[in-house]
Amino acid sequence: DQPRLTWEQYAGNFNSSAPAMAKRHYFNQKTWINDADHLGLGLLSLQQARAAASIIALSGGTLISGDRLVDLDADRLEILRKVCPSYGVAARPIDLFEADRPEIFELPIKTEFGEWLVVALFNYSGEGAPKSVSLKQLRLPKGKKCVAFEFWSQQLIGEFEKELKVRVEPQSVALLSVHPVAGVPHVISTDRHFSQGAIELKGMAWDGASNTLRGTSTGAEGTAYNVSVYVPGTYRWASEKPDYFQDFGEFSVGKIASSLLRVRCRFDAGTETGWHIQFDANTGQQA
């Protein structure tokens, strides 16, 4: 049963790739560059493939495909793209001393325009289960309100206090970006890279005078990806037709939900695309 054996290699027992990576996370960039395992996706289900890719990505070390790339289907090839390149920083296993196979990982992201956490909640079992992590475990200030977004499903989890709770499907992972609630619109995720903004965004800035969020997305020429913008209830997108996608040349903007906009960035003739969104302030909940 090759699929079962492949999954067990990543998370089946206390000495699989995930727990081995967790126990040695602090060696990365100090003693060696972590090498958790080759990333083989072809024999795994999509849920297992996302979990395995997350394990290797969170190791912060080398990332080597174990598949014959021409044999990978489009879905699994896209998973591989989303964890390349390596971020280079190992995630911290929060429950390292509580479980043989740690299931909760935290990766701090720091850029020139902001800081956030990537939090992974794994479910190695064969049944769906609720998973949770507290602000205290994430070393965030008590009483701080945060907002979370799940990367693989591209779903907004929403705001939370004290504890983040999600249901995780069998042999899968919830890979979340966690941001302090800023009170103004801000980028909460992308669908390009598991770090959700660390390698593909730059020059992000909020202009309070004009209520405008500006940013620059980077990517390979001929590609495209989405940027998700969280909109607090005291702001709304300043569009005459907010229920329709609006095209602005190399980027478009659309409302996905009352508190979520999606920017589609295209790289038709270059590797950078600048974009901006204007908002109205102090207008209550979005229509």
Side-chain angles (χ1 to χ4, degrees):
D1 187 351
Q2 196 63 37
R4 180 182 61 81
L5 292 175
T6 301
W7 172 247
E8 287 186 356
Q9 176 180 328
Y10 289 109
N13 57 66
F14 72 94
N15 204 33
S16 298
S17 297
M21 177 266 289
K23 295 166 188 174
R24 299 167 177 82
H25 74 282
Y26 54 88
F27 283 115
N28 193 48
Q29 301 286 357
K30 298 180 178 67
T31 303
W32 58 51
I33 302 298
N34 279 347
D35 185 6
D37 205 345
H38 284 52
L39 181 54
L41 305 177
L43 293 174
L44 299 173
S45 71
L46 284 179
Q47 290 182 349
Q48 292 172 337
R50 289 166 181 159
S54 300
I55 290 167
I56 303 305
L58 291 168
S59 77
T62 58
L63 200 159
I64 303 171
S65 173
D67 293 296
R68 190 169 182 263
L69 295 182
V70 295
D71 292 337
L72 280 184
D73 61 23
D75 289 334
R76 287 164 181 77
L77 191 59
E78 190 62 23
I79 291 172
L80 180 60
R81 288 193 184 103
K82 292 179 188 299
V83 294
C84 294
S86 171
Y87 184 57
V89 179
R92 177 178 71 98
I94 289 176
D95 55 343
L96 178 62
F97 299 108
E98 301 169 13
D100 285 339
R101 294 181 295 169
E103 293 185 326
I104 309 172
F105 291 80
E106 167 216 34
L107 176 62
I109 304 292
K110 295 184 180 181
T111 71
E112 62 181 9
F113 57 83
E115 299 182 12
W116 63 94
L117 298 178
V118 171
V119 177
L121 303 177
F122 287 94
N123 179 10
Y124 303 131
S125 75
E127 298 181 359
K131 300 290 181 179
S132 63
V133 61
S134 69
L135 289 182
K136 182 178 180 180
Q137 288 176 299
L138 295 175
R139 300 181 292 191
L140 293 172
K142 183 179 180 181
K144 185 73 173 179
K145 184 178 286 188
C146 295
V147 60
F149 187 96
E150 206 286 313
F151 176 73
W152 293 114
S153 64
Q154 287 292 293
Q155 295 292 317
L156 178 66
I157 305 301
E159 295 186 5
F160 68 96
E161 296 182 74
K162 295 182 180 179
E163 190 173 45
L164 171 61
K165 299 178 181 180
V166 296
R167 181 173 178 80
V168 184
E169 295 303 309
Q171 299 180 342
S172 186
V173 64
L175 190 65
L176 305 139
S177 68
V178 175
H179 292 248
V181 172
V184 298
H186 62 90
V187 170
I188 192 171
S189 184
T190 79
D191 64 1
R192 162 61 187 92
H193 191 255
F194 84 96
S195 66
Q196 304 180 64
I199 70 157
E200 68 272 43
L201 298 177
K202 66 178 187 178
M204 301 294 306
W206 169 255
D207 183 350
S210 62
N211 290 330
T212 301
L213 180 66
R214 302 180 187 276
T216 299
S217 296
T218 63
E221 188 171 341
T223 65
Y225 60 80
N226 297 311
V227 177
S228 292
V229 175
Y230 180 66
V231 185
T234 51
Y235 286 86
R236 68 178 181 87
W237 180 25
S239 170
E240 295 181 357
K241 297 180 179 180
D243 293 324
Y244 297 90
F245 271 84
Q246 306 291 312
D247 188 62
F248 302 97
E250 285 197 317
F251 73 95
S252 58
V253 182
K255 186 171 76 171
I256 304 303
S258 61
S259 54
L260 188 68
L261 297 181
R262 190 149 289 163
V263 183
R264 180 70 172 174
C265 298
R266 300 186 304 277
F267 305 93
D268 299 333
T271 59
E272 292 190 1
T273 294
W275 52 267
H276 62 276
I277 312 172
Q278 190 167 6
F279 296 86
D280 291 329
N282 301 319
T283 56
Q285 295 291 332
Q286 293 189 28

